[in-house]
Amino acid sequence: MSKEKKKPILPMIIFGIVSLGSYFVLFNQEGLVTETYTKGGWYAAFPILTAFWFSFVHGSFGSNLLDVVGLQAKKNK
Amino acid sequence: MRKVAAVLIVILMILPMATAVFAGGPPPKNLKKGIFLEVNEAAGTALFQDSTTQETSTLMIGYSVKAEDLKLNKKMMVSFEEHDGQVFIKTAEVMFLDLTLTKFISLIVVGLVGGLLSGFIGSGGAFVLTPAMMSLGVPGAIAVASNMCHKFPKALVGSIKRYKYGQVDIKLGLVMAVSAIAGVQIGIKIQKVVLDAWGNAGSNLYVSVVFVVVLVIVGGYVLRDAFKLSKNPAAADTQSKLSLRLQKINLPPMMHFKTAGVTMSAWITLPIGLATGMLAATIAVGGFIGVPGMIYVCGASAIVASATELVVAFVMGTYGSIQWAVSGLVDIRMTLLILSASLIGVQLGAIGTTYVKDYTIKLVMAATMLVVAVSRGAKIPVYLQDLDWATLSPTTTAVLNGISFWALIAALATAGIIITGAMIKGMREAKQEVQVEESHSKA
């Protein structure tokens, strides 16, 4: 525990804001989004890319969040 | 590295041919999506505007769907049936239900625990999310699609995390995924034969029977193994006798899986993937056969097998999602709500695996499989009734449906509790170890 790494508070905040912002934008434009995303055909790119975007942004937020609260993997000896 | 590239190229070549890669059956074809502009109850007609083509047409109502079932100016999903040579509306469901606070919270909670389970045993969540969404009033096809679209980002995040812990065998995962894709095709063909022969109710019955039989046998075996290991933890490192015997079979091409620490003939590895895919197409949860297959047949440890399953889930989930998205059935709002919690849950589950012994993973997996089997088993009498092979009172049907749903919730809760408990225990032990080491180094 003596050589503890610095907690990634800043990355957590940045990814958190970007993620929250993305959620806000999508849910704020709910009608337009659901309409466009379900047109089918090539419009399929919308939901797929959105899912990738969130897995990156929100996934990174989650990872940093768990680090900050101190939930980390067991260190291998 | 060159080998990984070769496997990737093979996947890329196979994928265009795999026109129907999804778990739980293909997206329905004869669906129309659009808005009802006007309903004329007396004439039994409704004016419908197709949202893809923007064309308006007059549709017939009065058989399965009555005027009051149609909502004006809301996007609806419509399917059709024929009566006396005329085409009538068979079902009309509102595509995007209004998200109330309760629905909001339920999706997030189920997402969190589903993610935790997924990060821990490699699969999970899907079997409870689809029924949970449907019980909130989401049409079946939308529930399957939105759920699938949440599966691959979750599996991606989970597998990256577990890769960092050195638990993922990418090559094994890709080989499994490719053969699973082929298995899905076979599974769908079988489903179609059953559907044509016995109709919808027969298909439901078939799916449930396969579900229960497979889950009880495999789950029971895994549970027995977990108990044996908990009594004798030293045995955890030994591979199953079956896999050791299979590894001796020298039938080229031989494949070496570094992280799993296994060299095995492709003739044995591929059928496991095939079976995973077939099962995925039938019961929508391939992981319940993939993970035990990798453990007992390939000889991977439970930790490596569950981590590798996330790679399989990612590959299959991505292409499944593309299929459903092309059909325009993904409700991205629901996908994102579940993801908001499950992307954190899956990483927590992944962290959890570093603190527990191999048998804890087996225990959680077995417990989940058996409780889920109960849930599906409770539905069998209902399907028998649909086929007119049994008669049930409405109360019995309601009770059975209730048991089925709550057993799923119980499965999630049980798994969540075991994982959290094991993690807390593991973390405490790790802390004590560190303290002991520190006091030693000071002294």
Side-chain angles (χ1 to χ4, degrees), chain A residues 23 30 40-41 58-59 72 77, chain B residues 326 333 336 340 347 355 433:
Chain A
Y23 270 102
E30 210 178 311
H58 195 64
Q72 282 169 330
K77 283 167 223 158
Chain B
V326 167
R333 301 170 311 160
L336 292 179
S340 72
Q347 301 190 66
Y355 287 96
E433 275 172 37

Side-chain angles (χ1 to χ4, degrees), chain B residues 308-377:
Chain B
T308 303
E309 178 62 27
L310 285 168
V311 176
V312 182
F314 168 67
V315 175
M316 295 188 65
T318 308
Y319 285 91
S321 300
I322 292 175
Q323 296 289 327
W324 286 88
V326 167
S327 303
L329 292 169
V330 177
D331 185 344
I332 197 78
R333 301 170 311 160
M334 282 193 288
T335 304
L336 292 179
L337 277 182
I338 305 166
L339 274 179
S340 72
S342 81
L343 286 183
I344 297 171
V346 76
Q347 301 190 66
L348 196 57
I351 291 173
T353 58
T354 62
Y355 287 96
V356 299
K357 297 257 162 40
D358 224 49
Y359 66 79
T360 316
I361 293 179
K362 287 181 182 168
L363 181 70
V364 172
M365 198 162 64
T368 315
M369 287 171 83
L370 293 173
V371 186
V372 172
V374 171
S375 158
R376 201 64 197 222

Side-chain angles (χ1 to χ4, degrees), chain A residues 1-3 22-23 26-27 30 33-52 54-56 58-67 70-77, chain B residues 33 51-52 75 95-96 99 104 149 152-153 156-157 161 165 314 318 321-322 325-333 335-337 339-341 343-344 347-348 351 354-355 423 427 430-431 433-434 437-438:
Chain A
M1 288 285 145
S2 48
K3 278 186 273 172
S22 308
Y23 270 102
L26 279 163
F27 276 84
E30 210 178 311
V33 166
T34 44
E35 179 59 38
T36 317
Y37 279 50
T38 51
K39 279 194 171 161
W42 286 104
Y43 285 90
F46 280 100
I48 302 295
L49 294 177
T50 306
F52 270 114
F54 276 91
S55 68
F56 169 61
H58 195 64
S60 306
F61 162 72
S63 177
N64 289 317
L65 174 77
L66 293 174
D67 274 356
L71 288 166
Q72 282 169 330
K74 190 176 179 179
K75 313 247 167 14
N76 282 331
K77 283 167 223 158
Chain B
K33 290 168 289 171
S51 55
T52 319
K75 197 167 180 181
M95 285 182 72
F96 308 112
L99 290 170
F104 231 79
C149 196
F152 79 87
L156 176 66
V157 168
K161 198 93 185 165
Y165 306 149
F314 168 67
T318 308
S321 300
I322 292 175
V326 167
S327 303
L329 292 169
V330 177
D331 185 344
I332 197 78
R333 301 170 311 160
T335 304
L336 292 179
L337 277 182
L339 274 179
S340 72
L343 286 183
I344 297 171
Q347 301 190 66
L348 196 57
I351 291 173
T354 62
Y355 287 96
M423 249 173 98
M427 283 182 170
K431 225 177 202 172
E433 275 172 37
V434 172
E437 270 170 35
E438 275 177 359

Side-chain angles (χ1 to χ4, degrees), chain B residues 249-273:
Chain B
I249 302 174
N250 193 357
L251 198 63
M254 295 296 281
M255 300 179 115
H256 179 64
F257 302 108
K258 213 162 116 197
T259 312
V262 179
T263 304
M264 200 169 237
S265 167
W267 295 103
I268 297 161
T269 329
L270 296 178
I272 304 169

Side-chain angles (χ1 to χ4, degrees), chain B residues 132-168:
Chain B
M133 279 191 218
M134 285 166 76
S135 77
L136 292 178
V138 180
I142 304 267
V144 175
S146 313
N147 187 10
M148 178 119 22
C149 196
H150 128 270
K151 174 177 157 170
F152 79 87
K154 178 180 75 176
L156 176 66
V157 168
S159 49
I160 290 175
K161 198 93 185 165
R162 295 191 66 169
Y163 181 74
K164 285 188 187 151
Y165 306 149
Q167 301 170 338
V168 176

